Amino acid sequence: MVISIAICFLPIIAGAFVLKTCNIKLSHIFLAILAALIIILPISLVQYFTGNISIPGILPLLNVFLKSFLVYGLIEELLKTLTIAFFPNTLKDKSLYSEKQCALLAFFFGLSLGCFESEVYFFSHLMQANSWGATLMYKPILFHMITTDLIHGLCAAISGIYIWKWHNNDQHNFFVLSPVIIHTLYDFFVGFQTTIKFFSVIVVLYALAKCISLFEKQEKDSN
C-alpha cells in the first residue's frame, strides 16, 4: 500500500522540482497536475465500461489489440493531446518556453496522468483480490505501474513537441499518430501474463528514442 502511494506521488513531486529548476512557471506545473486529475475521470470511465467488450467472430488476440488501439491508443492519446493543446500560453509563444521546456511540461502532465491511472489500477486489483480472498501479486503490478507512468509521460512529450511545432509554424501538419501507435503497442504487450509483456519495455525505449530524435531534428533545422 505504502509503495503504491509512493509510486503515485514521488514522481510528481520530483517532476515538479525538475520543472521548477528548468524555469517552468509554478502555475503551469499545478495546471498540468490539475489537468491530469480532470481527465483521469473520463479515461477511467471509458476503461470501466469497455472492460468486457469484445467483437464477436474474430480472434481473441485481435480483440485485445483492437481494444488497446481504440481505448488506450486513440481515446487516451486524443484526450491528452487536446488537453496539452489548450494549455494557456504555454505552447503558442517561443518567447515563453522553448521546445524542450514545452516537452518537459507535456511529459510532466503525462507522467502525472500515468501516476493517477496507476493508483486506480492498483486499488482496482486490490479490491478484486480482496473479493476473491486472494493475495495480491505486487511485482507484476509494480512493473505495470512504473512502465505506465513512463509511457504516458513520453507519449505526452511527443505530442507536446508536435503541438509546439504546429503553434510556431515549424510544422504545418498536426501529426500525433506516433503516440497513438506507441501507446497501443505498449498496452497490447503489457497485458500479457507471460514474458511477452517485457516487449512493453522495448516500446517504452522506442518512445524515448522518438523524443530524442525529434529534439535532434529540431536542432538540425535550427542550425
Side-chain angles (χ1 to χ4, degrees):
M1 180 74 72
V2 175
I3 294 176
S4 71
I5 295 174
I7 289 176
C8 177
F9 290 105
L10 286 180
I12 295 176
I13 295 171
F17 176 79
V18 170
L19 288 187
K20 191 59 184 173
T21 60
C22 294
N23 297 319
I24 305 294
K25 290 185 177 181
L26 191 61
S27 60
H28 291 156
I29 295 174
F30 283 118
L31 175 65
I33 298 173
L34 179 61
L37 272 173
I38 291 173
I39 70 168
I40 191 62
L41 178 59
I43 287 175
S44 298
L45 289 174
V46 169
Q47 292 177 357
Y48 176 79
F49 286 110
T50 60
N52 296 319
I53 290 179
S54 62
I55 302 173
I58 65 173
L59 294 173
L61 201 61
L62 184 56
N63 258 317
V64 174
F65 182 82
L66 288 175
K67 181 184 175 182
S68 295
F69 170 71
L70 292 173
V71 177
Y72 299 96
L74 189 62
I75 295 176
E76 283 196 13
E77 290 306 322
L78 179 61
L79 283 172
K80 285 162 59 180
T81 299
L82 290 175
T83 303
I84 296 170
F86 286 101
F87 276 5
N89 300 321
T90 57
L91 302 168
K92 300 177 183 179
D93 188 355
K94 289 183 178 180
S95 64
L96 181 61
Y97 291 140
S98 67
E99 181 188 20
K100 288 185 178 180
Q101 286 175 310
C102 288
L104 282 173
L105 183 59
F107 176 86
F108 178 71
F109 159 69
L111 176 69
S112 301
L113 176 61
C115 289
F116 296 139
E117 186 177 283
S118 294
E119 201 66 14
V120 173
Y121 175 84
F122 173 81
F123 280 107
S124 66
H125 278 69
L126 181 63
M127 290 186 292
Q128 190 178 59
N130 289 337
S131 65
W132 291 349
T135 301
L136 195 64
M137 302 295 291
Y138 285 96
K139 285 185 178 180
I141 288 179
L142 291 177
F143 173 84
H144 188 284
M145 293 170 69
I146 293 170
T147 54
T148 293
D149 295 352
L150 291 173
I151 204 68
H152 270 296
L154 291 169
C155 286
I158 294 170
S159 295
I161 293 170
Y162 281 128
I163 293 169
W164 186 89
K165 291 177 181 294
W166 180 64
H167 275 311
N168 291 286
N169 297 319
D170 289 339
Q171 179 169 301
H172 298 291
N173 296 319
F174 191 43
F175 182 76
V176 289
L177 185 60
S178 293
V180 173
I181 296 174
I182 290 170
H183 201 151
T184 297
L185 292 174
Y186 164 79
D187 186 77
F188 176 73
F189 287 122
V190 82
F192 285 92
Q193 301 302 316
T194 63
T195 53
I196 295 176
K197 72 178 181 181
F198 292 109
F199 279 98
S200 62
V201 177
I202 297 176
V203 178
V204 172
L205 293 175
Y206 172 79
L208 177 61
K210 180 70 174 178
C211 287
I212 295 173
S213 68
L214 288 173
F215 283 135
E216 290 178 347
K217 183 177 183 300
Q218 176 64 22
E219 289 179 357
K220 289 180 181 178
D221 293 341
S222 61
N223 293 332

